[in-house]
Amino acid sequence: EDAERMISMEHEIDGRRAEAKIALPKSETLPAGGPGGATAAAPGGGGTTRIFVARIPPSVTDDEFRTHFEKFGVIEDAYMPKEHVSREPRGIGFITFGSPDAVDRVMAETHTLGNQTVAVDRATPK
């Protein structure tokens, strides 16, 4: 009962949205879409709402990163991790959109940030 209440609530950690899930032993879990792992959602993406961006030039700011991708759909979260000690940009980022359709629109184009073509892919959970 408490676990169900917790997963139905919105959570925020250090200003970022976090999703709570019920933990199950590996023996009780299946890959997304069932035993075969296939899904019938968005074309090619399995309905994912998150993208991974690589080769981001260090000159690109968090605002520039978010602004570039906002034209494809509502952004729930945009994050460009930094090195822990130096706080320098790592050259990668993640965007979580409100719908899988936004990810499909992003994937249909080539993207340039800071005068450099960046690599964009659908983000898959670890």
Side-chain angles (χ1 to χ4, degrees):
E1 183 178 298
D2 287 339
E4 288 181 14
R5 185 170 47 86
M6 291 305 292
I7 63 172
S8 69
M9 297 170 57
E10 295 223 357
H11 303 277
E12 190 173 301
I13 300 171
D14 291 335
R16 299 198 57 223
R17 191 172 62 96
E19 182 179 356
K21 296 181 181 180
I22 295 176
L24 296 173
K26 285 188 180 187
S27 62
E28 294 181 28
T29 61
L30 292 174
T39 61
T48 185
T49 58
R50 195 166 193 212
I51 61 169
F52 169 74
V53 184
R55 292 189 241 141
I56 302 170
S59 62
V60 174
T61 66
D62 290 339
D63 285 340
E64 290 169 328
F65 180 64
R66 177 182 275 273
T67 299
H68 174 79
F69 289 101
E70 278 179 332
K71 58 188 157 208
F72 298 97
V74 174
I75 292 178
E76 292 183 358
D77 187 41
Y79 176 58
M80 290 193 327
K82 307 220 180 328
E83 293 293 341
H84 291 295
V85 177
S86 69
R87 305 304 301 155
E88 292 292 318
R90 292 179 56 195
I92 63 172
F94 297 90
I95 300 273
T96 303
F97 287 99
S99 77
D101 293 338
V103 173
D104 291 338
R105 288 189 292 274
V106 167
M107 297 306 298
E109 295 187 21
T110 301
H111 301 276
T112 303
L113 291 169
N115 296 318
Q116 182 174 320
T117 300
V118 295
V120 178
D121 203 357
R122 295 173 198 274
T124 54
K126 288 184 178 181

